Amino acid sequence: MSFTKKELQDQKRDLQDQIRRMERALRSVIIDLNAQYLPPASDRLGVAQAPREVIEIAEREWASSVSEPPKGQEQPTIDGYIRSNLGLNWSSANVKQLDKPTPYTRDSFAWCGAFASFCYGHITPIELRKKVFPSTYRMYSNWANTSRNRGKTDIQSGDIIVVWTSSSDDIRRKYHYGQHITLCEFVDGNEIHTIEGNARGELGDGSTGEGVIKRVRNLKDVAYVYRLLSEDLC
């Protein structure tokens, strides 16, 4: 039996969609298994289900295919990560205009921490998110010398993973506190599957682009692993 080029392309696209659905189903099973075998602990958000809630929100945002707008155009969803009560609760989404309410436009705000803040927004107070989540340096300053800093040997679903985006030793020394904020979906050996904002990777529609994405980070690129305490909850 012979096929036209279009028919073969359609079959390829269908198979790729099936593979993506199977991968997502597998990720969900892994998360469920991790949650099932992790005992409740006071340093794991005080309740066993909290990390699951965080990842469920992150999954929902990813599935809605939140992507960067064209230059100069607004993006209400990303703006919400930055300016809403469930996000950072900042009045401006433009770091050059912090003195007045300004909506988000492409590249006006590095919003990786704002996305993580939104995912934690239902269980943490505004003051914490507004103060700590906006940048890797703020997280380092507030959390690195506390028991929220978990180290690289104890990474679990729902943890906040701060990574370096450069392999340069000089850059890593300069930004010793890390360069980018992500959320751990699950861990597979030295590979950390993340959901993150303000990055390039797999969008919710299966395409590659910039926005809320999924990707795999290597353990060697992890700067810090943070896990909230029960005292950080609302």
Side-chain angles (χ1 to χ4, degrees), residues 64-126:
S64 64
S65 299
V66 179
S67 60
E68 286 280 9
K71 192 74 173 178
Q73 293 188 21
E74 298 178 11
Q75 217 294 0
T77 302
I78 298 175
D79 186 66
Y81 299 153
I82 302 166
R83 298 204 295 156
S84 76
N85 290 340
L86 289 177
L88 296 180
N89 198 39
W90 281 34
S91 61
S92 175
N94 188 327
V95 294
K96 296 180 180 179
Q97 299 180 25
L98 293 178
D99 58 335
K100 65 177 182 178
T102 309
Y104 177 80
T105 57
R106 189 186 185 101
D107 300 329
S108 68
F109 197 104
W111 54 277
C112 56
F115 173 71
S117 172
F118 182 84
C119 295
Y120 271 91
H122 294 79
I123 57 175
T124 55
I126 290 176

Side-chain angles (χ1 to χ4, degrees), residues 31-32 34-36 38-60 116 118-124 150 154-160 183-186 195 226-230 233:
I31 291 172
D32 286 337
N34 286 341
Q36 187 173 1
L38 287 175
S42 61
D43 68 342
R44 190 162 177 78
L45 292 170
V47 287
Q49 293 303 313
R52 177 65 184 179
E53 292 176 22
V54 170
I55 294 303
E56 284 177 348
I57 293 170
E59 286 271 6
R60 181 195 68 201
F118 182 84
C119 295
Y120 271 91
H122 294 79
I123 57 175
T124 55
R150 304 304 298 182
D154 178 30
I155 303 176
Q156 300 173 358
S157 177
D159 286 346
I160 299 168
L183 294 175
C184 173
E185 184 181 15
F186 66 94
I195 307 177
Y226 298 118
R227 188 178 306 152
L228 276 66
L229 306 179
S230 55
L233 299 178

Side-chain angles (χ1 to χ4, degrees), residues 138-168:
R138 288 179 181 231
M139 286 189 172
Y140 171 81
S141 297
N142 287 276
W143 290 347
N145 294 318
T146 73
S147 55
R148 297 174 186 85
N149 181 4
R150 304 304 298 182
K152 298 183 183 182
T153 60
D154 178 30
I155 303 176
Q156 300 173 358
S157 177
D159 286 346
I160 299 168
I161 311 295
V162 176
V163 299
W164 286 295
T165 56
S166 171
S167 60
S168 165

Side-chain angles (χ1 to χ4, degrees), residues 123-140:
I123 57 175
T124 55
I126 290 176
E127 294 79 11
L128 173 72
R129 286 179 272 114
K130 189 172 185 177
K131 176 184 177 182
V132 180
F133 278 77
S135 71
T136 60
Y137 182 75
R138 288 179 181 231
M139 286 189 172
Y140 171 81

